[in-house]
Amino acid sequence: MAVAPTFYVVPGSTVKNVIDNNKKHVFEAVEAAYRLHAAGDSVNPDSYFLRYPDKPSDRIIALPAHLGGTVQKSGIKWISSFPENRTSNLARASAVLIINDAATGYPLACIEASLISATRTAASAALAAEHMSPHPFEGTLGVIGTGVIARTTIEWLLYRNWKFHKVRLYDLDRKEAERFSMWLGDQHNVPVDIHDRLEGAVGDASLILFTTTASDPYLADEKLLAHAPTVLHLSLRDICVNVILASQNVVDDANHCLKARTSLHLTEMATGNRDFVSGTLVDVLEKNFKLDQNRPRIFSPFGLGVLDLAVGNLVLEAAKSSNAAVALPDFFSNSARW
């Protein structure tokens, strides 16, 4: 007779410990999730945005997903974005991930997911950087927006053995950039410049990282990217239509990325087509089209729930095997029908 599963809670400290000690497997899980999704062995519905009429900058997002392959789990990430948290030295984003058994539908775990979310974003960006850059693992990095996602992405780039001659920072809040600069210098001994203008940070950077909270595009000067860098457009709303059209564009999933007034969605609305999208990151991995070294190559990932599920499942299994997950065996004490 089937019985309800034991329910687990995985706190943030355990999540961090698992990720820190399993980066190779995390990176592989992210790539595997992309490939399963491309092969149709996933379900990734639209995200749902809970917004507040009196607080337009705040939102909570639900990302449901199912992942097949060796994972065979379903789940949902519930992630908030409250930018004003930063004034109280709280992170802008907080999140939990619920993982469900795909056979019975029963929830298996509740996992602190802010680091999972940042990790899957950063690892996917590092994967794209490796495969979209003409000369990977070296160069000058331009960073626009110096928050948690930028920090996590740089950590993953460094883990993947990137060597930066210089990192150039730009943030509307110079104090944020200064804190970020101190972290880079103290923790990673990377040479850093802080710039007061976007142009200075972008400059001749071979790899450019956008991790802002911008709601409307502002990079309109095509000359700023005329040196054909690789661009990790993680915040999705920084680059104007004319610059998108002058670039080679790669997405994680076009149906997800071209919505919610992202830069690519605005471009689709302006042109009436999606011809400006060359393909997906899996297309890049599979060499289904040729990368254009004479134009900027922009990776714009909407952020798929299957990635959270892949990393979250890895964390859950590792935490259970090391007895670091908190078991609640009677959580479903009323599960029997009779």
Side-chain angles (χ1 to χ4, degrees):
M1 183 176 67
V3 296
T6 297
F7 186 77
Y8 293 89
V9 175
V10 184
S13 57
T14 299
V15 173
K16 185 177 187 310
N17 184 60
V18 170
I19 289 175
D20 286 348
N21 289 289
N22 293 275
K23 284 192 170 182
K24 179 178 181 292
H25 294 133
V26 169
F27 196 77
E28 292 170 348
V30 167
E31 180 174 348
Y34 272 132
R35 292 184 181 276
L36 286 170
H37 181 67
D41 198 0
S42 69
V43 182
N44 204 106
D46 288 345
S47 304
Y48 182 82
F49 288 69
L50 175 64
R51 297 186 183 276
Y52 304 88
D54 59 333
K55 300 187 296 180
S57 65
D58 296 345
R59 63 187 187 273
I60 309 180
I61 313 170
L63 288 84
H66 170 78
L67 193 59
T70 60
V71 178
Q72 294 298 330
K73 297 290 196 313
S74 302
I76 187 167
K77 181 176 71 173
W78 182 238
I79 181 166
S80 68
S81 176
F82 282 52
E84 291 303 311
N85 283 354
R86 293 173 297 183
T87 63
S88 303
N89 197 31
L90 278 176
R92 172 184 59 84
S94 58
V96 293
L97 174 67
I98 302 295
I99 293 183
N100 295 69
D101 174 45
T104 66
Y106 269 80
L108 300 173
C110 177
I111 306 172
E112 198 285 325
S114 60
L115 181 57
I116 288 172
S117 187
T119 294
R120 60 83 149 152
T121 300
S124 71
L127 179 66
E130 289 182 23
H131 290 273
M132 292 177 61
S133 299
H135 306 287
F137 305 110
E138 63 178 5
T140 297
L141 174 65
V143 180
I144 317 303
T146 54
V148 171
I149 297 299
R151 185 169 72 238
T152 309
T153 302
I154 289 177
E155 287 176 336
W156 275 88
L157 290 168
L158 295 174
Y159 163 73
R160 296 295 296 176
N161 294 317
W162 282 77
K163 309 294 182 185
F164 295 113
H165 314 309
K166 180 79 70 175
V167 175
R168 297 173 175 166
L169 307 178
Y170 172 70
D171 196 296
L172 292 176
D173 185 341
R174 186 177 175 88
K175 289 183 178 179
E176 287 290 316
E178 290 171 350
R179 280 193 283 266
F180 200 92
S181 175
M182 290 180 61
W183 167 76
L184 268 174
D186 293 345
Q187 297 295 317
H188 299 290
N189 195 30
V190 175
V192 183
D193 286 337
I194 299 175
H195 293 266
D196 293 320
R197 294 176 61 86
L198 175 66
E199 296 88 331
V202 171
D204 61 351
S206 55
L207 183 65
I208 302 172
L209 174 62
F210 284 93
T211 55
T212 74
T213 57
S215 57
D216 297 296
Y218 54 89
L219 196 163
D221 187 351
E222 296 173 29
K223 294 192 295 294
L224 292 181
L225 302 183
H227 57 290
T230 300
V231 179
L232 304 174
H233 188 204
L234 304 189
S235 37
L236 293 174
R237 295 172 178 84
D238 304 84
I239 302 174
C240 294
V241 168
N242 62 305
V243 181
I244 292 292
L245 290 173
S247 305
Q248 185 175 41
N249 293 282
V250 176
V251 298
D252 52 1
D253 182 298
N255 289 329
H256 288 272
C257 192
L258 276 72
K259 64 178 59 172
R261 297 186 66 81
T262 64
S263 293
L264 271 68
H265 186 207
L266 295 176
T267 305
E268 180 186 32
M269 290 191 289
T271 62
N273 61 66
R274 297 181 173 184
D275 296 345
F276 55 89
V277 177
S278 293
T280 67
L281 180 55
V282 173
D283 288 323
V284 173
L285 299 178
E286 295 292 328
K287 296 181 171 56
N288 290 336
F289 64 88
K290 185 176 181 181
L291 291 168
D292 189 347
Q293 298 188 17
N294 297 314
R295 290 191 293 162
R297 295 159 306 284
I298 301 177
F299 177 54
S300 298
F302 192 79
L304 300 175
V306 292
L307 301 182
D308 298 292
L309 199 51
V311 177
N313 184 64
L314 185 152
V315 168
L316 174 61
E317 296 305 319
K320 286 167 58 179
S321 66
S322 63
N323 295 316
V326 179
L328 301 175
D330 296 325
F331 191 81
F332 295 111
S333 58
N334 299 315
S335 61
R337 292 186 65 223
W338 300 99

